Amino acid sequence: MQDYREFLKDVLITEPELQARIAEMGAQISRDYQSSTLHLICILRGGVLFLADLMRQISVPHTIDFMAVSSYGAGARHSSGQVRITLDLKENIQDRDVLLVEDIVDSGFTISSVLKMLETRRPASLKVCTLLDKAERREVPVPIDYCGFVIPDKFVFGYGLDMDEYYRNLHFIGTVDPTRYQPPETGNERQTGESG
Ligand code: IMP
Ligand code: MG
């Protein structure tokens, strides 16, 4: 496996910038959900680092749950439009104030499908919190209630976001120099079209 320094182009968002913004977002969410039954739903796997840091900045009592989705149309870095649930929620969301926690909204297909699926389960409210918004690439409109950073149309990795499933552990968000990146040879390529 390559060391990320071999293909890192730029650090787009540093660790202190991420943490400062997440603290602001947590404070805002805490104000907005003072008298609610806040239930955070993290979309695996990209959102886990963000969820873990965000929830520690939320001062109101809340619960968490996880779901995973995959897009039809395998192997792509971009989702295809149709999304199915590969890991469903543990808990019922009826009458709860649900806040979806995502790493990045790109075309918008993933979040918009997830919103449609969750709406049928009749939550009291359903809102979206994303760390990153690649707004230029939007193909389907998505209501974003909390957004960390609007970023340019570049492939990014680190802080939960992967390159062929690796490098999620990095403390910052970086951009890739595709001419210097070598995908892993076997084993961990995205063969299922798993999203997130
Ligand atoms: P969308 O359905 O096109 O909005 O894509 C959302 C999903 O695509 C995200 O949850 C990520 O898993 C993935 N994705 C989109 N852009 C990037 C990126 O720049 N780096 C890593 N993953 C990305
Ligand atoms: Mg994701």
Side-chain angles (χ1 to χ4, degrees):
M1 283 302 302
Q2 269 183 303
D3 186 295
Y4 73 84
R5 292 175 192 85
E6 293 172 27
F7 57 80
L8 174 69
K9 194 169 178 193
D10 295 299
V11 173
L12 188 66
I13 310 172
T14 65
E15 181 177 14
E17 287 168 344
L18 282 170
Q19 294 304 332
R21 182 73 186 113
I22 293 167
E24 289 174 358
M25 297 173 86
Q28 180 69 51
I29 291 166
S30 305
R31 284 193 292 274
D32 295 350
Y33 286 86
Q34 260 169 35
S35 44
S36 315
T37 55
L38 175 59
H39 187 54
L40 302 174
I41 293 181
C42 174
I43 304 179
L44 295 172
R45 285 161 277 186
V48 282
L49 273 69
F50 179 40
L51 173 78
D53 284 336
L54 181 68
M55 64 187 287
R56 283 179 283 187
Q57 300 291 346
I58 296 178
S59 55
V60 296
H62 60 274
T63 49
I64 61 169
D65 204 348
F66 297 90
M67 70 186 292
V69 294
S70 81
S71 356
Y72 294 108
R77 290 250 161 82
H78 309 295
S79 53
S80 57
Q82 269 192 308
V83 165
R84 73 190 160 89
I85 296 176
T86 55
L87 176 77
D88 206 344
L89 299 171
K90 195 101 180 167
E91 289 178 49
N92 200 321
I93 58 169
Q94 188 168 354
D95 300 329
R96 299 172 88 162
D97 290 301
V98 172
L99 183 58
L100 270 180
V101 177
E102 248 288 39
D103 51 356
I104 185 165
V105 180
D106 185 25
S107 68
F109 285 128
T110 305
I111 275 286
S112 92
S113 308
V114 169
L115 285 172
K116 273 188 209 130
M117 293 186 283
L118 295 185
E119 264 156 19
T120 65
R121 303 182 190 187
R122 309 207 189 183
S125 66
L126 180 56
K127 292 193 172 184
V128 174
C129 175
T130 186
L131 179 65
L132 306 176
D133 178 7
K134 244 189 231 181
E136 289 169 40
R137 284 184 41 88
R138 199 63 31 81
E139 287 179 49
V140 47
V142 179
I144 296 179
D145 301 283
Y146 303 93
C147 170
F149 302 87
V150 176
I151 62 164
D153 179 12
K154 290 176 180 166
F155 199 81
V156 294
F157 70 107
Y159 196 72
L161 294 121
D162 68 299
M163 292 284 295
D164 298 311
E165 291 304 326
Y166 288 91
Y167 313 107
R168 296 187 192 270
N169 57 305
L170 302 177
H171 295 209
F172 58 85
I173 305 272
T175 59
V176 184
D177 177 351
T179 65
R180 288 188 284 142
Y181 175 65
Q182 292 164 2
E185 274 167 32
T186 50
N188 285 289
E189 292 92 328
R190 287 185 174 177
Q191 282 153 357
T192 58
E194 189 90 5
S195 193

